[in-house]
Every structure is written in structure tokens, then in C-alpha cells.
Amino acid sequence: MARTEIYGIRHHGPGSARSLRRALEEFRPDVVLIEGPPEADATVELAADPDMKPPVALLAYTTDTAAKAASADAGDRRHRAAFWPLAEFSPEWQAIRHAVGNGVPVRFCDLPAACQLADRPESTDGPPGADGQAGEGDPPASQAAAEEPAAHDGAAGSGGGEAELIRLDPLGWLAQAAGYDDAERWWEDVVEHRGEGPSPFPAIAEAMDVLRREAEERSARGEQVVSEAYARRERRREAYMRRTLRRTLKEGYQRVAVVCGAWHVPALRADVPASRDEQVLRGLPKEKVAVTWVPWTHGRLAQWSGYGAGVRSPGWYHHLFTSPDRPVERWLTEAARLLRAEDLHVSSAHVIEAVRLAEALAVLRGRPLAGLEEVTEATRAVLCEGAEEPLALIQRRMVVGERLGAVPARTPMVPLQQDLRAAQRRLRLKPSALVKEQDLDLRKPLDLERSRLLHRLRLLQVPWGRPQSAAGRSKGTFRESWTLQWQPEFDVALIEAGAWGTTVRGAADARARALAAEATALAELTSLVEQRLLADLGEAPAAVMRALADLAATDQDVAHLMAALPPLVRALRYGDVRGTPTGPLQEVVDGLVVRICVGLPPAARGLDDDAARELLERINAVHEAVCLLASPADGRAPAGRPAAKEHLDRWQDTLAALVDRPGLHGLLEGRLTRLLHDAGRLADVPDRMARAVSVGQEPARAAAWIEGFLSGGGLILVHDEALLRLVDGWLAGLPADSFTDVLPLLRRTFGRYAAPERRAIGERARRLGDPAAGRPAAEDLDPARALPAVRTVAQILGRPA
């Protein structure tokens, strides 16, 4: 006689996973049904591959949109997708591993992904997935929260009545009935921390049966439970599970194990006529879908990531599952090892004392085993000695964890994913959930290829690498600094990008061409041209260059021209470094520089503070670009075109004419004075500063002048005592109320300097009253001792000692 066992589990629970594995070993089923999309049946055997390392996720995505790749509307190519994540401590994963390890068939019995994605609205109730439309789910987010106590912390359904609380958070309701204010703690005490003993599944099934009857009775009395759309979706899911179970039994299987969310157990045990289920399932919408496995991370299993079935501490749960004996001692030992790796002093005595404290707290609170809260409090008090920073490190590295799973090479993938994986192996760039800093030297072929790959992925909206900000990277054009971190949703982005091509380079080129055809703003088009060169997609097509030249010639807004110049200059410079042809790009740059020099003086008239500050940022960017243009990588101006040095001279002439214009904003006048002083174009800087900070000037304008002049760095005050005396005298002579008014501006200026700069300025200012201070007397000098230092400096300067 056929026998069916239904195991109601909690997704991602180590206690549930351990109990389920033990129950399956005792029951020895000849087929296992698991809550999940049946389209994944063809890929489940990959779980036996040794290269499959959880956490992983089943990814289902629509495929019929790929036929719309020729459409210009990117929205037409967007796939809807859903994830079913599985960790090593997930009961479903353990059921799969048990079945494939024993040669037992595995089938997924939930509503097909083809129906779930077709029925999913544009904006779901669950957390957004990688494409902004689909939710992450295990099961999908639309029902995950309904089965998980962690989703609501025992306080779900606020404002919806007791019936809604029972339906949306059944385990939270049970926790309240047991006197717990935290459903997570209650579930850990009764299931996760339990050792050997009778199976918990009969008790769980009985509890769910009572809760469902209570919810139905309250709903019959008119209490709000869930929306009609949600209820309809749940009825369809449970009807499909019953249909799959009936068909499995008809095939002659005698020992059937069903693994599903605890809430569904009573529904699967119910005696519902097949005709009624067929009526519920009639007319289901469908989409064309594909299913594959993708790597996942523990961070994406955590509740804070927005995952409806998430847990608070994936790393802790992984530890509980993999360390069934003495988990507290092992956890605190690992925490001590982590802190020692960060050069923090943690001894064996610390670990012993922390274990004792955690166990004492568990006894005081009546818990069978010290949980994460007790261990965390012991870690804070003993190992971290009350400091929060080391505790935050443990929280990030251990409690949540930074584990990234892996899938076998034979896993079904779109061609673009396969091409990227081959490139990652070839370039030795391994994806990781950890944040990794990567410095690239573009003179090395390997690093140059890595840079091109990362730039191409950014064009495809797969930001695996993020270039570091200009403030934190080297000014040298041969170096790039990236921050790398792989996210699971990048696989969906790659599937999306597969509509553009089958290789990373081809897809990036196709998307760049499409974006260029749609670009209407000059800055947008220039940025795209820069991205093409950085990604080594070849010279921009003639149509793109014509559009760029036309926009540059017709745009009358000098602010737009100034915003467009820096990316084009960077593209020229990087084109030289990377060996990428730049073609007619130089001609566009030549025209932009001339038009900016002509249009800047009128644009600088009558500006308020905000407008002046905005123009100052653009002037700084253009100045840096023109200086970069004047010193190309090979040290020579491009043959046959106006010398880059002429652009620098024209730009400096424009600034020199503008700095003496009456009515120029003080911020701009100060900054232009500094730029011309650094270029050696002004010999009367002390006189100009003296006039700017004289008694006749408004304190606010004088402060703005000083801010603009010093915005390039404060070392000039260290090396030019005359300027330092002028600033010091102006500050000392300010009335009290004026000093209070200008103080915020000055603090903002000096606060941007590095601590050594501020310290050096302060030391020089302290010695202003004593000209002899800090300078050794001639009789104190020892030429013999100074000679080695003099020789070293002379050698550095290339002069004879």
C-alpha cells in the first residue's frame, strides 16, 4: 500500500534541515516532491555535481521577450524573473542531496514558474528582484513572508486583525501563544536548537492544522485575512501540489515524501476532489520560461536584503548546521581567530570566559542552548571589551557571512554568461561576494584586458566593477583602481543583455550604438564616446562622430560645452595609453576648447553664490582637462593638428582676461588668481590678495576670495610666508561679528586639507611673530653631517653633488 509523508519545514532552518535529513533516511522514499518550480526538474541532477556549492538559487526567467531584441525600446526586452535560493542549511537542499545521493527521483511540485511569472504584476508585494519587476523567492516573495516567522518578528499583520496575523505569520502567532515576544527565538528554541529526539514534523503539522482552522473561522466571521489576489494565488499553488501528488501516486510510487512549507501541510492532506482542483487551475496564464542555477550569497539570504523568506543570521545558521556539537565554543573560537587576524588581542582566556557568559545568559533566560543573542552579548562584553567596531566586523563576516556559492560549468547558461565565465577564467578574475580592491596597470596586457572587460560590463549595466572616485585614484593615466563585488542579480542582467549579442564585446558594442542613436544631449554623447574607447570597442562610428560634432557646433550653452570637454579629453588620453584609435575625436576637442574660451567670459557675469560655485567646478574640470591635453602620453602634440600647447595658452589667456574683470564673483576671482599663479602667469599675487582682503572689502567677499584661492591646496601658505601673513593679518583684523560670519566659509576651506597640511600651516602661523624661530643658527650647522643628505637631494634633482 502506498504511503505518503508530508514534511512541513521552515525555509532556511538548520534544525528543520537536520530533522528532515534524518526523517528521510528513516523513511527511505522512492520519490521526493519538493516545493519549487517543476521546470527545474531537468536541472536538479546538477546538485550531485561536486562543483555545485551552496548557497545557490534556481533562477526562472521569461524567454519570449528575447524575440523582441530588435525593438528600440529596452523595456520590451526586459525579462521577468524569480529566484528560489537554497543554502546548505535549507531543508529543500538537504532533501535534494539525499535524493540524488540515493538515486531517488526528485520532482518539484509547486505552481510552474511559467504561471507564477505570467500572473505576477509589474510591481509585486515582495522585494524587487534584479530587474525591478520580479521578486526573489524561496518560494517567490509573493508568498514567502506568509510562511516565515522571521518576516514579521512575531508582529505581523499589524492593523489587519488576528486572522491576518495567523495567516501571514503563523509561527509568530504560536510564539506569542507560548509567551515569546520574538518568533525567531521561539523557533530556535523548539526546533533549531533541539538535538536528537522524536521527529518534530507531526507536531508542526498538527499546529498548522489548528491555525488554518482558526484562520478560516475568523475569516468566515468577516475578519480581514489577505487580499483576494493573494488568496487566489495560494489556492492555485496548493491545488497544483495536490495534482502533482496524485499523478505521482498513479505512476506506482509506494513511498512518497513531500517537502513543503509548514502552512501547506494541512492543504496537501485534505481530501479535495481532483475535479475541484482542475477547476481552480483552469485557464492559468503562462509565459515561456527557462530555469537554471546561479550562485547566491549569504547576504542575499538575510532579511535586511529585503528577501521575504530571509533569516537574520545566515552565517550563524550555517554554523549551527555544520557544527552540531559544541557550536557555541566553536563559534567564539572562530570569532577570536577573526579578531586576531585584525591585530586585536584576544586570548584563550577571553574565549573561555565568553563561553561561560553565553551559557549563563542562556540559563537565566530559560533557553536550551545559548542562541545568537547570548553569544553576541558575550562577544561584545568579553572578546570586544565593549567596543562596537570589532562586533560590527563579526556581524558582517560571521553572523551574516560573505559566502558566494558556485555552479558547475555544465549548468545551462545563455551564450553571454558563458563568454563572461570564459573571460573570467582567462583573465584570472574570480567573482567574489567580498569587496575587493583591484589596481590595474594598463601597460600590462593582462591588466589592460581586465580593464576592457570591466568597462564593457558597465556598458551592459552589469556593474561588477566600480571605478574608484577621482579623488581616490592615481592621476597617472596608466593606472586604474576598481572595487569589485559580485552580486547574484548580475546573472539576470546578463540574461537581459543577451538580447544585444552572444559575446561581451559584441553586446557592449551593439548597446553603445543603440544608446548613441538615442542620445540628444552633448554631455550624454561625449560620455558614451569615452565609454566606447575605455571598453576598446573601436573608434566611434561615423554617424556618432557626426552627431557629436553637430551637437558641439549648435549647443550655445557654455556649461554644456564645459561638461562635455573632460570626458573627450580623457578619451583622447586613454586612447593613447590603450593604443585605441581616436580618429576625428581630436577635431571635436579642438573646436570645443575654442568655443569654451569664447563663451566663458559672458557666462561669468552677475553670478550668485550657488551659480559661482557651480561654474567654479566646471572651470576646475576644464582646466584639468586642458592641462592633460597639453601633455599627451608620448610627450608630443598630434601631428597635423593645432598643438595642444596652443589650447593651454588660449585657456590661460582667457583666465587672465577674466580675472581683472570688474564685478567678478570673489570665489571665481580667487580661484583664477591661484590657477594663473601656479602657471607662472601672475607676479603680483601678494598685491592682489592684499586688495582682496583689505578693510574696504566686504568680509563675505574677502572670505570667498580666500576660499577660491586656497581651494587648490594649502601648501602655498606653507611655502609663501608673505601670503600667509596677509591671511593672518586679515583674520586678526576682522571685527567679532564679521569673523563669526566668515568662519563657516573658512572652516569649509581648511577642512578640505589633509591633517599634515593643516598642521604645517598652523606651525608656520605660530612662528610668524618670531622670524628666527624654527631656523637653526649658522653655528649650529654641522656641514659634515649634512653632506650625505645634500648629496642625496642633489642626486634626486639630477645635479652634481
Side-chain angles (χ1 to χ4, degrees), residues 547-559:
L548 179 61
D550 292 344
L551 283 174
T554 57
D555 199 321
Q556 302 299 318
D557 192 335
V558 70

Side-chain angles (χ1 to χ4, degrees), residues 177-215:
Y180 282 74
D181 58 359
D182 186 343
E184 185 90 358
R185 181 184 298 179
W186 174 80
W187 182 259
E188 287 184 356
D189 285 352
V190 300
V191 177
E192 307 301 351
H193 292 169
R194 68 195 307 272
E196 301 294 332
S199 172
F201 298 110
I204 292 174
E206 182 179 356
M208 293 300 109
D209 186 53
V210 172
L211 288 179
R212 287 188 70 123
R213 287 202 305 268
E214 179 71 14

Side-chain angles (χ1 to χ4, degrees), residues 302-603:
Q303 285 177 357
W304 57 261
S305 69
Y307 172 38
V311 293
R312 294 180 190 169
S313 47
W316 169 252
Y317 274 9
H318 177 82
H319 174 77
L320 287 180
F321 184 78
T322 56
S323 303
D325 64 313
R326 309 182 72 85
V328 175
E329 291 87 339
R330 296 179 185 276
W331 176 269
L332 291 171
T333 301
E334 185 62 31
R337 184 179 294 114
L338 174 61
L339 295 178
R340 289 190 193 115
E342 299 295 326
D343 295 328
L344 297 174
H345 174 67
V346 181
S347 67
S348 300
H350 283 90
V351 177
I352 294 171
E353 190 61 31
V355 170
R356 290 173 177 171
L357 178 56
E359 292 176 346
L361 289 173
V363 171
L364 290 173
R365 295 169 180 175
R367 305 195 67 181
L369 178 71
L372 181 60
E373 291 185 5
E374 289 75 27
V375 172
T376 300
E377 292 178 25
T379 302
R380 178 191 288 111
V382 182
L383 300 187
C384 302
E385 297 180 345
E388 292 296 330
E389 290 79 6
L391 189 67
L393 176 66
I394 293 173
Q395 172 74 22
R396 184 175 67 254
R397 296 275 188 89
M398 293 181 61
V399 176
V400 174
E402 295 169 328
R403 184 183 300 267
L404 175 67
V407 298
R410 59 192 183 96
T411 303
M413 298 180 186
V414 297
L416 191 61
Q417 289 175 295
Q418 295 174 344
D419 184 66
L420 175 58
R421 176 166 288 205
Q424 289 169 338
R425 289 194 299 267
R426 186 179 71 253
L427 301 178
R428 298 194 295 275
L429 275 178
K430 185 178 180 180
S432 171
L434 295 170
V435 176
K436 180 182 178 183
E437 303 299 330
Q438 184 84 43
D439 289 328
L440 303 178
D441 185 343
L442 302 181
R443 295 168 293 187
K444 299 178 180 179
L446 179 63
D447 282 358
L448 182 58
E449 285 300 315
R450 289 171 171 174
S451 172
R452 289 168 175 168
L453 176 66
L454 294 174
H455 281 294
R456 290 168 184 170
L457 290 175
R458 286 176 61 81
L459 263 173
L460 294 175
Q461 295 180 304
V462 184
W464 176 24
R466 298 186 302 276
Q468 292 184 1
S469 62
R473 67 174 181 239
S474 169
K475 295 293 183 182
T477 56
F478 287 104
R479 180 182 176 187
E480 281 185 350
S481 296
W482 293 81
T483 300
L484 304 181
Q485 185 181 26
W486 186 262
Q487 302 288 353
E489 57 266 27
F490 292 164
D491 284 292
V492 176
L494 285 170
I495 292 170
E496 297 285 351
W500 297 108
T502 59
T503 66
V504 175
R505 189 186 191 283
D509 183 52
R511 187 169 190 273
R513 290 172 182 268
L515 291 175
E518 300 170 0
T520 57
L522 180 59
E524 181 182 357
L525 195 56
T526 55
S527 176
L528 188 60
V529 170
E530 180 188 21
Q531 292 179 61
R532 283 193 62 92
L533 286 173
L534 294 176
D536 189 30
L537 300 179
E539 192 173 327
V544 176
M545 295 309 301
R546 283 197 302 270
L548 179 61
D550 292 344
L551 283 174
T554 57
D555 199 321
Q556 302 299 318
D557 192 335
V558 70
H560 293 170
L561 302 178
M562 296 176 77
L565 182 65
L568 291 182
V569 171
R570 289 194 299 268
L572 279 174
R573 185 62 180 265
Y574 272 97
D576 290 338
V577 172
R578 296 165 180 268
T580 307
T582 55
L585 193 58
Q586 180 71 50
E587 298 177 4
V588 178
V589 170
D590 294 341
L592 279 177
V593 173
V594 173
R595 295 192 63 214
I596 288 172
C597 291
V598 172
L600 180 58

Side-chain angles (χ1 to χ4, degrees), residues 219-361:
S219 178
R221 294 198 296 267
E223 292 189 30
Q224 177 186 357
V225 181
V226 291
S227 67
E228 179 55 34
Y230 183 90
R232 180 178 65 252
R233 187 161 56 243
E234 290 296 278
R235 287 195 297 270
R236 287 174 173 175
R237 293 183 61 222
E238 292 173 347
Y240 196 91
M241 291 182 196
R242 287 191 293 266
R243 174 205 274 181
T244 304
L245 178 57
R246 292 191 196 97
R247 290 180 175 179
T248 302
L249 292 172
K250 284 183 179 180
E251 292 177 16
Y253 290 102
Q254 298 298 308
R255 304 177 69 84
V256 181
V258 182
V259 180
C260 64
W263 181 259
H264 300 301
V265 173
L268 298 188
R269 287 182 170 180
D271 185 14
V272 179
S275 58
R276 185 185 302 175
D277 285 342
E278 295 300 326
Q279 184 178 1
V280 171
L281 296 173
R282 187 174 297 124
L284 284 176
K286 288 186 178 181
E287 289 267 11
K288 293 181 180 179
V289 301
V291 176
T292 186
W293 292 96
V294 296
W296 204 250
T297 65
H298 274 177
R300 283 294 187 269
L301 287 171
Q303 285 177 357
W304 57 261
S305 69
Y307 172 38
V311 293
R312 294 180 190 169
S313 47
W316 169 252
Y317 274 9
H318 177 82
H319 174 77
L320 287 180
F321 184 78
T322 56
S323 303
D325 64 313
R326 309 182 72 85
V328 175
E329 291 87 339
R330 296 179 185 276
W331 176 269
L332 291 171
T333 301
E334 185 62 31
R337 184 179 294 114
L338 174 61
L339 295 178
R340 289 190 193 115
E342 299 295 326
D343 295 328
L344 297 174
H345 174 67
V346 181
S347 67
S348 300
H350 283 90
V351 177
I352 294 171
E353 190 61 31
V355 170
R356 290 173 177 171
L357 178 56
E359 292 176 346
L361 289 173

Side-chain angles (χ1 to χ4, degrees), residues 44 75 212 222 282 308 420 429 433 543 555 567 601 613 638 655 665 793 797:
V44 73
R212 287 188 70 123
R282 187 174 297 124
L420 175 58
L429 275 178
D555 199 321
R613 197 169 299 280
L655 300 185
H665 194 281
V793 173
L797 297 177

